[in-house]
Amino acid sequence: MSKTSRTVITMPDKAKRGEIIEIRAIAQHDMETGFRYDQTGKRIPRDIIRNFTCSYGGVEVFKSDFYPGVGANPMVIFTTIATESGTLQFEWTGDDGYEALNQAQITVT
């Protein structure tokens, strides 16, 4: 079973070559730890995002692993250097076939 969620990317759409740009990536996800119980006493299964990666021009520029202690709707903030105009690819993967993809374009002058 594949699950997806809404994602939002915030970053500049234009930058000068060599400029450091800030990127904010958020995925809408409840991030269930697997340590809680429902009203009947049954353990709620773990359901978390496990990995996040960002590729720029086909090269991985950022990677993060997530663990049960990460809160719902995790936001990742990182920087990279604007090197060329192109596409940044964002990918989140997790438990039970969870996968979310997003892209953003940047124009470098």
Side-chain angles (χ1 to χ4, degrees), residues 13-99:
D13 56 353
K14 296 178 184 174
K16 294 184 182 199
R17 188 173 314 279
E19 182 178 350
I20 296 172
I21 57 169
E22 181 180 86
I23 301 167
R24 294 172 182 249
I26 187 169
Q28 187 177 31
H29 193 288
D30 291 339
M31 299 291 279
E32 185 56 58
T33 66
F35 299 120
R36 295 186 325 129
Y37 295 87
D38 65 15
Q39 299 88 342
T40 66
K42 183 179 175 188
R43 182 175 279 190
I44 300 169
R46 186 179 86 167
D47 184 12
I48 67 169
I49 296 173
R50 306 283 306 244
N51 307 96
F52 168 78
T53 58
C54 172
S55 298
Y56 179 15
V59 176
E60 186 177 282
V61 294
F62 185 83
K63 181 177 182 172
S64 180
D65 295 326
F66 296 147
Y67 299 92
V70 174
N73 307 320
M75 179 189 300
V76 179
I77 302 171
F78 61 99
T79 60
T80 192
I81 298 173
T83 56
E84 62 184 24
S85 296
T87 302
L88 283 87
Q89 176 83 27
F90 305 90
E91 181 177 3
W92 295 259
T93 57
D95 294 338
D96 294 329
Y98 174 85
E99 183 177 59

